[in-house]
Structure formats: C-alpha cells, structure tokens
Amino acid sequence: MRDLPACSGITVEFLQNTDNLLLIVVAIGSGLMLAWPMIQRSRAGGTVNTTEAVQLMNQKHAVLIDIRPAAEFAAGHIPQARNLPAAEMKERTGTLPKNKPLILVCNQGRSALGVAAKLRADGFADVVTLEGGHNGWAGAGLPVTTGK
C-alpha cells in the first residue's frame, strides 16, 4: 500500500470532523448560488444587451416579447414589443413565430430566463433575453412608449 502525502491526512480529518460540517455546507451553498445565474442563462439560450437586441431586430427581424403584466406594459414598453404576460405564456405560445428570433423582456432581465427556458423546451430554437430587461433598455436612453 502506498503512503499518502501528509497533507491528504489533514484533508480527510477536516472533512470527517463534524465541527467543520457547517463550513462545508456554506462553501457548497455559496458555490451553487454563484453558479445558478450561469446555469439559468445557459438553459434560457443566452442574453443580449441593448445594442445586440437592436441589431437582431434590424437584421433578423427579431420579435420582442414583453412578459410583464399588461398594466406594467401599458405604463411603458419598448415600441415594437408585443405584450404576452408570463402568466399567459403557456396558453398563448402558439401565437409566437418559430421562424424568427425571440427577445424576451421583463423588468430587470431575470424572470425572462425561466420563460425562455420553457420556450426552448417547447421547440423555439432562437430565444434570448434582454440583459437588464425593460429597465436596462430605458436606462440606456432608448425609446419607450406608453399605452397599448
């Protein structure tokens, strides 16, 4: 049997010591919390910034889908965006074009990630989310309109 280096004995003792269990759980938990946004983005198909979104709309005729509730949409939205609230997405998925890129917009760019992942699972190949969502768009000084 081969002797293990002295440092590996310390590692095994550290892992076996129940006093260190909390440290191990915190380390693993914090690692997962750091990795979660990357996992969500990869499932969602990626994100685009405002410049990339404008290029997709101009060059590939991408469709902007604002998934916020109708009242928030009416208070201010990107001019070419269609309102399809996340709560109604399952029933109205059939109204979305499968032959054009879809750019999903929410308030801050977070809740759209889950909706994008579901659309990709439903066969929509070209789905991205807008980084920063509607707030990022407005913050970049790009046009926002009100009403339906």
Side-chain angles (χ1 to χ4, degrees):
M1 187 188 241
R2 202 173 93 178
D3 289 337
L4 294 173
C7 66
S8 67
I10 294 170
T11 305
V12 171
E13 281 180 27
F14 179 82
L15 294 174
Q16 290 177 340
N17 187 342
T18 57
D19 294 337
N20 296 326
L21 185 59
L22 180 61
L23 291 173
I24 294 168
V25 169
V26 168
I28 292 171
S30 63
L32 288 172
M33 287 192 304
L34 288 171
W36 186 249
M38 290 184 289
I39 293 167
Q40 281 289 87
R41 277 189 214 105
S42 68
R43 286 180 53 221
T47 60
V48 293
N49 62 33
T50 54
T51 304
E52 294 165 330
V54 170
Q55 289 174 345
L56 274 173
M57 291 185 303
N58 289 338
Q59 296 170 1
K60 295 187 177 181
H61 307 288
V63 178
L64 284 166
I65 307 296
D66 194 320
I67 64 164
R68 298 176 301 151
E72 290 181 33
F73 181 81
H77 60 272
I78 300 169
Q80 295 84 14
R82 290 174 46 186
N83 185 225
L84 183 56
E88 301 172 18
M89 187 64 68
K90 192 171 187 174
E91 298 84 33
R92 295 179 50 197
T93 301
T95 65
L96 298 174
K98 286 194 174 189
N99 61 343
K100 294 182 180 180
L102 300 178
I103 304 171
L104 299 184
V105 181
C106 60
N107 274 327
Q108 298 177 345
R110 291 187 205 129
S111 57
L113 293 171
V115 174
K118 288 176 186 169
L119 286 173
R120 290 181 61 79
D122 287 344
F124 290 87
D126 200 357
V127 180
V128 294
T129 60
L130 180 63
E131 264 179 35
H134 178 266
N135 294 344
W137 181 273
L142 294 168
V144 172
T145 189
T146 57
K148 294 187 177 195

